[in-house]
């Protein structure tokens, strides 16, 4: 098997091998094994810092424990999550959904989503659909909050 790069640990790993590891880690987290998959998520973030899936995996790890603020922090810290070159559309979609889940950042999520759509920054159709669906959820929450304040 052709190895395309050397990790900071000195091990050689190909892009395909990292892709497989990433899928194993991310799916393991989603299937309910976040603690077991944390080393994979950390490795992804360390070795592939310009890949959106690395940030998604680490964010999902924190989400699995109900820590939405920490999940957002993974993406927002030093804007690291916004400098990705691969998987950017998917990361933006997840980020907007995290803003929705945080409950105190609805307006920010809606404004950010509108900006992304207006500037046509998302190309992936599934990510765009996800962003639009999350926007609808945010609008419903804002409307409900407004109605509750009137009553």
């Amino acid at each position: 098997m052709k190895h395309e790069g050397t990790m900071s640990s000195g091990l050689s790993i190909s892009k395909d091998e990292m892709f497989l590891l990433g899928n194993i880690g991310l799916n393991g987290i989603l299937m309910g094994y976040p603690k077991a998959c944390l080393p994979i998520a950390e490795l992804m973030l360390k070795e592939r810092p310009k890949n959106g899936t690395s940030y998604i995996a680490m964010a999902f790890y924190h989400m699995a424990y109900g820590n939405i603020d920490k999940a957002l922090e993974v993406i927002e810290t030093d804007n690291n999550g916004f400098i990705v070159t691969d998987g950017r559309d998917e990361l933006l979609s997840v980020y907007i959904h995290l803003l929705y889940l945080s409950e105190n950042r609805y307006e920010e999520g809606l404004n950010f989503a509108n900006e992304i759509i207006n500037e046509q920054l998302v190309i992936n159709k599934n990510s765009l659909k996800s962003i639009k669906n999350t926007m609808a959820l945010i609008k419903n929450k804002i409307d409900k909050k407004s109605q509750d304040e009137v009553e």
Side-chain angles (χ1 to χ4, degrees), residues 9-77:
S9 64
L11 296 172
S12 293
I13 191 163
S14 73
K15 191 174 182 177
D16 289 340
E17 291 167 332
M18 184 56 81
F19 176 78
L20 289 173
L21 265 178
N23 280 327
I24 291 168
L26 186 55
N27 284 303
I29 290 168
L30 294 173
M31 292 173 56
Y33 301 98
K35 188 175 181 182
C37 296
L38 179 59
I40 295 172
E42 289 173 335
L43 176 68
M44 290 170 58
L45 200 54
K46 180 179 178 184
E47 298 298 333
R48 298 291 190 256
K50 293 194 178 200
N51 189 304
T53 304
S54 300
Y55 292 91
I56 292 170
M58 190 58 78
F60 280 6
Y61 167 80
H62 292 294
M63 283 176 55
Y65 290 103
N67 196 340
I68 304 302
D69 290 337
K70 186 69 176 171
L72 283 162
E73 186 180 306
V74 166
I75 299 168
E76 294 173 336
T77 301

Side-chain angles (χ1 to χ4, degrees), residues 9-146:
S9 64
L11 296 172
S12 293
I13 191 163
S14 73
K15 191 174 182 177
D16 289 340
E17 291 167 332
M18 184 56 81
F19 176 78
L20 289 173
L21 265 178
N23 280 327
I24 291 168
L26 186 55
N27 284 303
I29 290 168
L30 294 173
M31 292 173 56
Y33 301 98
K35 188 175 181 182
C37 296
L38 179 59
I40 295 172
E42 289 173 335
L43 176 68
M44 290 170 58
L45 200 54
K46 180 179 178 184
E47 298 298 333
R48 298 291 190 256
K50 293 194 178 200
N51 189 304
T53 304
S54 300
Y55 292 91
I56 292 170
M58 190 58 78
F60 280 6
Y61 167 80
H62 292 294
M63 283 176 55
Y65 290 103
N67 196 340
I68 304 302
D69 290 337
K70 186 69 176 171
L72 283 162
E73 186 180 306
V74 166
I75 299 168
E76 294 173 336
T77 301
D78 298 326
N79 286 322
N80 285 334
F82 299 110
I83 60 168
V84 300
T85 53
D86 296 321
R88 186 177 118 300
D89 290 358
E90 293 82 356
L91 180 62
L92 291 173
S93 174
V94 167
Y95 179 69
I96 291 168
H97 197 75
L98 286 169
L99 289 172
Y100 162 70
L101 292 175
S102 72
E103 293 187 20
N104 58 346
R105 295 176 71 179
Y106 294 139
E107 299 284 342
E108 181 182 349
L110 191 58
N111 291 337
F112 189 65
N114 277 319
E115 185 178 323
I116 286 171
I117 289 173
N118 291 339
E119 297 293 325
Q120 299 179 348
L121 298 176
V122 173
I123 298 166
N124 180 286
K125 290 179 183 180
N126 289 331
S127 295
L128 188 58
K129 181 178 178 181
S130 175
I131 289 169
K132 288 179 178 180
N133 288 340
T134 302
M135 287 176 71
L137 293 171
I138 292 172
K139 287 176 185 175
N140 287 338
K141 288 285 188 176
I142 291 171
D143 290 346
K144 184 175 181 341
K145 187 177 177 182
S146 295

